[in-house]
Amino acid sequence: MKRSIDEHAERFSAVAAEYDEQQDSDEYAACASMVIDAADPGPEETVLDLGTGTGAIALALASDAGRVIGRDISEGMLAEARRKADAAGHENVAFGEGRFREPNVDAAVDVVVSNFAMHHLADDEKREAIEVIADLDPRRFVLGDVMLSGEIPEGEEAFSPEVDDPATVGVLVETLTDAGFSVSSATLVSDQYGVLVADR
Ligand SMILES: C[S@@+](CC[C@H](N)C(=O)[O-])C[C@H]1O[C@@H](n2cnc3c(N)ncnc32)[C@H](O)[C@@H]1O
């Protein structure tokens, strides 16, 4: 991780009020939409959204799922997520503090999703996080994120190398497979963004 948890939390809390309107890239829209479609929870199922931010994915799944749990490290982002859940009248969504490697969840989880968040972890930390997710025993994990098809020449990154630490698609697929998932689909929306669907 190129910044501590506290630094990442502070960074996101500082921009929480403007975060939603800043997510205007085609890559973000494509990944978010694919994550929501692939999650496809049933009406009795519980979804866990890790790095939920202002709740874009969690809230989009609230009408279809039985229950949605959003976890994040930034109180500012969580406050925005709670405000939006209240405004939409979603009573089956709960947002709270939790991190990839300590999600702070005691309920059974059927589907885990994460969009544009895991790239803050170094690859060994992503491995630990994916093992923690596997231990929750979901039937599916859908990961939308910055993920690299290969080496990106310096200066051509579509992310911020000083704070972001994306893995290659190959490393992510290997890590998911080692944790007992079977990657049923890998869709790249560019050479730096994509969505992986991993089933048990
Ligand atoms: C770019 S935002 C993405 C938010 C949301 N998933 C979306 O699609 O709009 C990244 C989020 O990941 C959170 N985050 C960063 N590191 C985290 C960690 N170790 N555990 C949980 N959340 C983390 C940040 O606080 C931030 O809210």
Side-chain angles (χ1 to χ4, degrees):
M1 207 183 301
K2 293 181 174 173
R3 292 282 188 278
S4 70
I5 292 266
D6 286 349
E7 285 168 330
H8 279 304
E10 221 170 277
R11 214 163 54 80
F12 278 101
S13 288
V15 298
E18 301 87 44
Y19 175 82
D20 284 358
E21 65 199 42
Q22 290 171 350
Q23 305 319 303
D24 55 3
S25 71
D26 291 345
E27 289 85 358
Y28 178 86
C31 287
S33 152
M34 276 192 276
V35 169
I36 291 161
D37 286 350
D40 194 25
E44 305 295 324
E45 289 193 312
T46 296
V47 178
L48 169 64
D49 181 15
L50 287 170
T52 191
T54 59
I57 308 298
L59 294 170
L61 295 172
S63 306
D64 292 336
R67 183 181 176 203
V68 183
I69 301 167
R71 290 288 182 259
D72 204 281
I73 55 172
S74 159
E75 262 313 317
M77 296 290 268
L78 288 167
E80 277 298 307
R82 288 189 194 104
R83 185 187 59 72
K84 287 160 61 181
D86 286 348
H90 290 309
E91 291 179 359
N92 61 339
V93 186
F95 292 106
E97 201 282 336
R99 38 194 80 178
F100 278 105
R101 290 172 291 166
E102 289 171 74
N104 189 20
V105 170
D106 50 17
V109 169
D110 302 290
V111 178
V112 177
V113 294
S114 185
N115 191 54
F116 276 44
M118 199 182 262
H119 64 271
H120 296 112
L121 276 58
D123 285 6
D124 59 329
E125 297 167 332
K126 293 185 192 82
R127 178 172 285 276
E128 288 172 29
I130 287 169
E131 285 166 0
V132 168
I133 291 166
D135 283 346
L136 294 172
D137 204 22
R139 66 170 174 80
R140 172 165 285 188
F141 172 40
V142 187
L143 175 66
D145 207 356
V146 190
M147 53 181 76
L148 311 179
S149 58
E151 197 160 323
I152 306 297
E154 204 179 318
E156 291 183 22
E157 300 94 344
F159 54 94
S160 304
E162 64 283 7
V163 289
D164 299 331
D165 204 354
T168 62
V169 177
V171 163
L172 289 170
V173 169
E174 186 183 325
T175 306
L176 287 161
T177 306
D178 288 349
F181 287 102
S182 166
V183 177
S184 54
S185 106
T187 309
L188 287 185
V189 303
S190 76
D191 60 347
Q192 302 184 47
Y193 294 95
V195 175
L196 300 178
V197 180
D199 293 321
R200 298 300 293 274

